[in-house]
Amino acid sequence: MKEYTYTETKDTRSGFGAGLHQLGKTNKNVVAMCADLIGSLKMDNFVKENPERFFQAGIAEANMTSVAAGLTIGGKIPFIGTFAAFATGRVYDQIRQSVAYSNKNVKICASHAGLTLGEDGATHQILEDIGLMKMLPNMVVINPCDYNQTKAATLEIADYVGPVYLRFGRPKVPNFTPENQEFKIGEAVMLNKGTDVSIFATGHLVWEAIKAGETLEAKGISAEIINIHTIKPLDKKAILDSVAKTGAVVTAEEHMLNGGLGDSIAQLLALNNPKPIEMIGVDDEFGESGHPEKLMIKYGLTANNIVAAAEKVISRK
Amino acid sequence: MDNKYTILELTDIAKEIRKDILLSISEAGSGHTGGSLGLADVFTSLYFNILNHNPQNPNYNNRDRLILSIGHVAPVLYAALANAGYFSKSELLSLRKLGTRLQGHPGKNHNLPGIELSSGSLGQGLSISVGLALSAKSDKKKWKVYTILGDGELQEGSIWEAAMSAAHYKLNNLIALVDRNHVQIDGQTNKVMDIEPLAEKWKAFGWNVLNCNGNNIAEIIDTYKIANSEKTKPTVIIAETVMGKGVPEIEGNYLWHGKAPSKEQAKLFINSLR
């Protein structure tokens, strides 16, 4: 098992903030909007240094989303920020018609996704956003795993022309991917080569997958671990190549099973190479208030759950 | 802005646009006849006098932007675009047919020249216009944004989010027109969900409010000219129109909101056009 270490934990939303701050200096067409959550989205530095390129939307996400579509017609690259729950579900129709169907170059930047938002509870813990966004034609869906990767993704999507959904979170998590890494949209990242089981993870669950891989290795199981930071377009080749080798699959995500990464991979495999699959995710229920780590344990989204799923899926081969 | 047509000539163009609306919708067998006819004078005024645009070069940078928020009246937009020379008038007969560039509601990805975005789901066009006007301001461009809203559409809450923001950003380069025909699918707007007092609402949201007869071309043009001289606020023109205007049999009848005439009816309607 390849060794992964980190010197500090950092929140992915700060990776977004750092990327946006850098874009403020390097790309004059980048503008930003926020629906009254500048601090939560870590957009302060961009706002401070580029007041003429920041438009406060107030608590009016529907307007913000369509205004961003309008800004693109004028040649701007708008990054719009709010919590994932309001960035997607609340404004689905605006995204569908004015952004996706119109194929506008809007970057929907969504923080506090998933259970790890914690104490605020289910109203804010959206677990359906990946599904909502991946169903839209033209939409790219990205869910990076740590601070460095979120920063790299933020920089990269400014150069990509088209609608993007960038999903990140609130808590501090191990920052283990390389600083100044190159981020390639739609290209999965091989974290560990293995032969017995393929573990495909996204977002905060990538670190859990690495910890699971270490435990599995101690048990004599060789896990291949792949970071699927882009859920759409899915890196089909990387997934099919891996499964052709291992013949067993575990998917892991901080999202509803319906509509998530596991669902995309299951469909890909069902059509091309059906193999036993186990999925880690939330099974058709809303979240609740609590400490993020305790919530992840209660809803079964930890390294231990991935280990159990791997053992189970191998037994089904 | 362009005064190359007299009011008499513009009136003839409006009549031609009405004829094209009736022909295209009756050929399609479905479509929104009433609202499209009611807006023929507004679209004639815009495309043949007010707008700075170039049908031969639809995407040129300094064009004024027309944003049709009520996508269901696409037939009047398509007829105006074809008559202005954006594409051949014969293409109007492909409306709503498989493979057409003239989608039932405007679809940006179908590459029809002159279409800025997709619309059909109501309540989004004013926000789009705010974004456009903001980008023009931030680039110190002179072009303007002309938005067409429906009166029933003003029941959508997102319109008022957009209205609040346009005044907040001081977008005097944004001019919206409300097609005030007083009817919507289920009946009279004041019965379905009353939007009055309308002028007071817009004023309270910080807008410059103008009124005109939306079926009188000279008045429409004059009102747009007044709007264009506004220095600080966005302007809304509340244009009183008659749904189905020009065809006596259907004028003011809300049942014609989303109904198509048969080909025989269309012939009769065209002969009776006023």
Side-chain angles (χ1 to χ4, degrees), chain A residues 240-303:
Chain A
L240 291 171
D241 285 353
S242 176
V243 176
K245 188 169 58 175
T246 63
V249 181
V250 174
T251 64
E253 60 196 308
E254 187 185 348
H255 188 271
M256 208 68 85
L257 292 177
N258 284 330
L261 169 68
D263 171 303
S264 288
I265 290 177
Q267 185 186 72
L268 175 74
L269 296 177
L271 292 170
N272 293 280
N273 184 16
K275 293 291 177 202
I277 182 166
E278 293 290 329
M279 297 183 191
I280 299 297
V282 176
D283 189 7
D284 202 26
E285 58 184 326
F286 288 107
E288 62 188 293
S289 289
H291 186 275
E293 281 176 25
K294 290 185 176 164
L295 285 167
M296 296 296 265
I297 292 168
K298 171 167 180 182
Y299 287 84
L301 309 185
T302 67

Side-chain angles (χ1 to χ4, degrees), chain B residues 160-211:
Chain B
W160 301 99
E161 291 184 6
M164 200 185 304
S165 67
H168 179 79
Y169 300 137
K170 300 185 172 51
L171 301 177
N172 67 318
N173 54 346
L174 168 54
I175 300 163
L177 179 141
V178 174
D179 177 23
R180 186 70 175 116
N181 62 17
H182 299 268
V183 284
Q184 57 190 109
I185 297 180
D186 277 353
Q188 302 286 328
T189 50
N190 64 351
K191 299 262 173 56
V192 176
M193 182 54 66
D194 199 359
I195 57 175
E196 293 290 350
L198 196 50
E200 287 80 353
K201 280 195 177 79
W202 286 99
K203 274 180 202 151
F205 274 78
W207 284 58
N208 175 37
V209 181
L210 302 173
N211 294 280

Side-chain angles (χ1 to χ4, degrees), chain A residues 68-123:
Chain A
L71 282 163
T72 68
I73 309 178
K76 305 295 178 194
I77 308 171
F79 282 63
I80 59 174
T82 182
F83 290 163
F86 314 134
T88 58
R90 185 183 189 91
V91 295
Y92 194 67
D93 189 43
Q94 277 75 18
I95 296 174
R96 180 175 181 272
Q97 173 169 287
S98 294
V99 179
Y101 182 44
S102 294
N103 205 9
K104 296 303 184 196
N105 195 20
V106 175
K107 314 305 172 187
I108 301 164
C109 304
S111 185
H112 294 55
L115 290 174
T116 51
L117 167 118
E119 293 77 359
D120 277 345
T123 54

Side-chain angles (χ1 to χ4, degrees), chain B residues 31-79:
Chain B
H32 295 79
T33 308
S36 298
L37 290 171
L39 279 169
D41 304 304
V42 168
F43 275 75
T44 301
S45 306
L46 283 166
Y47 279 93
F48 294 87
N49 184 289
I50 296 295
L51 288 180
N52 177 17
H53 68 129
N54 181 356
Q56 273 68 53
N57 184 12
N59 295 322
Y60 95 98
N61 255 331
N62 290 323
R63 69 189 184 279
D64 289 331
R65 268 66 168 182
L66 183 126
I67 296 297
L68 177 63
S69 190
I70 40 174
H72 60 274
V73 296
V76 68
L77 172 64
Y78 298 153

